[in-house]
């Protein structure tokens, strides 16, 4: 193809890169590159560079995984054996992906590994497992209208007793939430003073830097929520029309989103 491009270029009376690009359906930068390539560079394309593969932290464990699979060990045994090694520093997700790919590519009849189902397979019957995100969502939900996990609610007191940090997190969050949703700005100073030497010290320092806006948000009835909501809607519309619809359609979409409740709004005007 490169030789054809160069022959076509040499046969043109008016040398235009754009004509070559349109003829061979390639970009103008690619056409310019091919036109000026030497014979040595063209021949070199048949012998691509043998780039050295990057070293990975997982390279030391690939042979271990392969040999354990050859010896008939299950995927779960391999997974937990490597995880318990003190010198293994990769993430659980990376380990699971390598076990999956090695088994798929080298042992056709082997059951594929799914890291997400590991806990379901190894936990004894009757054991219930809750994700950390589920527990945090339950603890930090203050709106009574939001439905919470009823199954988790049966064991939440046991969890808080076993892990005091969960109860501590819930207490601090609800205390701060009550201050922000209240109308006494002085309480934020008491909150900062109470927890300034605790684990949330960086958070308290951040509050100190912006203490005036925080107090205004507590004591003043005005809110920027309406403006922020409209900004978010406008940015969403801008992403939808980006690169293909232009300013005309962007303006029409904005009118359709923001003005339909106006009395003088007419859909015909947007056509």
């Amino acid at each position: 193809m490169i030789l054809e491009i160069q022959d076509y270029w040499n046969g043109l009376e008016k040398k235009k890169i754009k004509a070559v690009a349109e003829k061979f359906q390639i970009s103008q930068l690619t056409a310019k590159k091919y036109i000026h390539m030497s014979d040595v560079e063209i021949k070199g394309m048949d012998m691509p560079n043998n780039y050295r593969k990057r070293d990975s932290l997982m390279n030391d464990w690939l042979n271990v995984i392969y040999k354990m699979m050859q010896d008939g060990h299950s995927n779960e045994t391999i997974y937990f054996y490597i995880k318990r090694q003190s010198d293994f520093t990769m993430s659980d997700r990376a380990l699971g992906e390598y076990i999956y790919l090695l088994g798929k590519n080298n042992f056709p009849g082997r059951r594929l590994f799914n890291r997400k189902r590991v806990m379901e397979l190894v936990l004894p019957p009757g054991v219930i497992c809750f994700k950390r995100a589920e527990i945090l969502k339950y603890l930090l939900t203050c709106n009574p209208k939001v439905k919470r996990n009823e199954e988790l609610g049966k064991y939440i007191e046991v969890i808080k007793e076993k892990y005091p940090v969960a109860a501590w997190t819930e207490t601090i969050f609800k205390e701060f939430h009550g201050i922000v949703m209240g109308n006494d700005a002085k309480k934020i100073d008491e909150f900062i003073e109470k927890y300034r030497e605790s684990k949330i010290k960086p958070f308290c320092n951040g509050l100190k830097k912006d203490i005036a806006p925080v107090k205004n948000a507590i004591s003043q009835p005005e809110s920027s929520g309406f403006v922020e909501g409209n900004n978010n809607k406008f940015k969403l519309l801008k992403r939808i029309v980006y690169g293909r619809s232009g300013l005309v359609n962007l303006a029409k979409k904005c009118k359709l989103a923001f003005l339909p409740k106006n009395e003088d709004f007419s859909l015909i005007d947007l056509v």
Side-chain angles (χ1 to χ4, degrees):
M1 178 180 176
I2 298 176
L3 295 177
E4 292 179 9
I5 292 175
Q6 291 182 350
D7 291 339
Y8 181 78
W9 173 260
N10 294 329
L12 287 176
E13 294 182 2
K14 295 182 179 181
K15 307 294 185 182
K16 290 186 178 181
I17 301 291
K18 184 177 180 180
V20 178
E22 292 177 351
K23 170 69 175 177
F24 293 93
Q25 298 296 311
I26 57 178
S27 68
Q28 294 188 37
L29 289 175
T30 304
K32 184 177 180 180
K33 175 185 174 182
Y34 288 166
I35 289 169
H36 299 291
M37 283 184 70
S38 64
D39 294 338
V40 176
E41 290 174 332
I42 295 174
K43 291 180 180 178
M45 295 183 68
D46 294 331
M47 296 177 291
N49 294 328
N50 186 17
Y51 294 106
R52 182 175 177 270
K53 292 183 179 180
R54 291 187 303 170
D55 291 333
S56 170
L57 296 174
M58 200 67 202
N59 288 350
D60 298 333
W61 299 98
L62 296 180
N63 197 37
V64 176
I65 297 173
Y66 184 84
K67 287 185 175 180
M68 290 185 73
M69 286 183 175
Q70 269 192 329
D71 293 340
H73 293 286
S74 67
N75 294 326
E76 291 72 30
T77 301
I78 299 172
Y79 179 78
F80 286 108
Y81 170 77
I82 295 179
K83 269 192 63 174
R84 294 188 61 181
Q85 304 305 310
S86 58
D87 52 343
F88 178 73
T89 56
M90 293 287 289
S91 66
D92 297 347
R93 179 179 179 180
L95 175 59
E97 288 178 354
Y98 274 96
I99 294 176
Y100 168 80
L101 292 173
L102 278 174
K104 179 181 179 181
N105 296 332
N106 298 282
F107 301 92
R110 187 180 180 85
R111 178 175 58 84
L112 296 180
F113 181 65
N114 185 353
R115 184 178 62 89
K116 294 181 180 179
R117 294 190 62 243
V118 168
M119 297 305 298
E120 299 176 8
L121 295 173
V122 299
L123 286 176
V127 174
I128 302 174
C129 180
F130 296 107
K131 295 181 180 179
R132 181 172 57 181
E134 293 176 334
I135 298 174
L136 285 174
K137 182 179 179 181
Y138 188 95
L139 294 173
L140 306 184
T141 298
C142 298
N143 189 348
K145 295 181 180 180
V146 176
K147 187 176 181 180
R148 298 199 286 186
N149 189 334
E150 296 180 359
E151 185 69 17
L152 177 57
K154 299 177 183 178
Y155 305 96
I156 194 65
E157 295 302 325
V158 177
I159 294 173
K160 289 194 286 188
E161 182 180 352
K162 182 70 175 177
Y163 301 98
V165 67
W168 183 78
T169 302
E170 181 185 29
T171 301
I172 291 180
F173 177 81
K174 290 187 175 180
E175 184 177 345
F176 181 74
H177 181 269
I179 294 172
V180 173
M181 300 304 293
N183 53 16
D184 189 354
K186 295 181 180 179
K187 289 186 178 181
I188 195 67
D189 295 322
E190 299 174 4
F191 179 88
I192 294 174
E193 182 64 25
K194 182 178 179 180
Y195 295 106
R196 63 187 178 89
E197 296 299 333
S198 67
K199 293 181 179 179
I200 62 169
K201 180 179 179 179
F203 176 69
C204 293
N205 292 337
L207 288 176
K208 284 182 181 179
K209 293 179 181 179
D210 297 321
I211 192 65
V214 173
K215 286 186 176 181
N216 288 338
I218 296 172
S219 58
Q220 301 296 330
E222 292 80 10
S223 170
S224 63
F226 177 76
V227 176
E228 294 297 336
N230 284 333
N231 284 342
N232 184 55
K233 184 184 290 186
F234 174 73
K235 290 178 180 178
L236 176 62
L237 292 171
K238 188 173 68 172
R239 287 196 297 270
I240 291 174
V241 304
Y242 175 75
R244 58 189 177 87
S245 295
L247 292 176
V248 175
N249 279 347
L250 175 61
K252 290 182 179 180
K253 281 183 175 289
C254 288
K255 290 179 181 179
L256 189 61
F258 291 103
L259 303 179
K261 294 183 179 180
N262 290 10
E263 294 181 359
D264 58 344
F265 175 77
S266 174
L267 192 61
I268 299 298
D269 296 339
L270 301 181
V271 178

